[in-house]
Amino acid sequence: MSRKCEVCGKGQTSGNMVSHSNRHSRRKWNANIQTVRVSENGGVRKANVCTSCLRSGKVNRAI
């Protein structure tokens, strides 16, 4: 499964993990991607969508 939202394109971001002694090592933050059933063009399909798109109503969920 791709870790990218099909609606807004939000995906994985990277940065540094900083310890108490200020040593830096690389880390990553994953977007909260959920697989949901979406109603589109009169049909139903599964889509990978981030939770911020679900909460804002950018996606029509199938029941």
Side-chain angles (χ1 to χ4, degrees), residues 6-48:
E6 294 180 17
V7 178
C8 67
K10 182 187 286 186
Q12 191 179 75
T13 58
S14 61
N16 286 315
M17 186 166 50
V18 182
S19 70
H20 178 67
S21 62
N22 208 28
R23 290 172 62 99
H24 289 62
S25 58
R26 299 299 285 180
R27 65 157 292 181
K28 56 191 172 186
W29 287 269
N30 289 323
N32 192 357
I33 305 293
Q34 306 293 322
T35 302
V36 295
R37 286 166 40 97
V38 176
S39 60
E40 222 175 41
N41 300 328
V44 175
R45 70 175 188 94
K46 288 187 176 180
N48 297 322

Side-chain angles (χ1 to χ4, degrees), residues 3-12 31-34 45 47-56 58-59:
R3 302 291 299 176
K4 186 164 283 217
C5 177
E6 294 180 17
V7 178
C8 67
K10 182 187 286 186
Q12 191 179 75
N32 192 357
I33 305 293
Q34 306 293 322
R45 70 175 188 94
N48 297 322
V49 182
C50 68
T51 53
S52 59
C53 288
L54 287 173
R55 283 196 314 264
S56 64
K58 293 181 181 177
V59 178

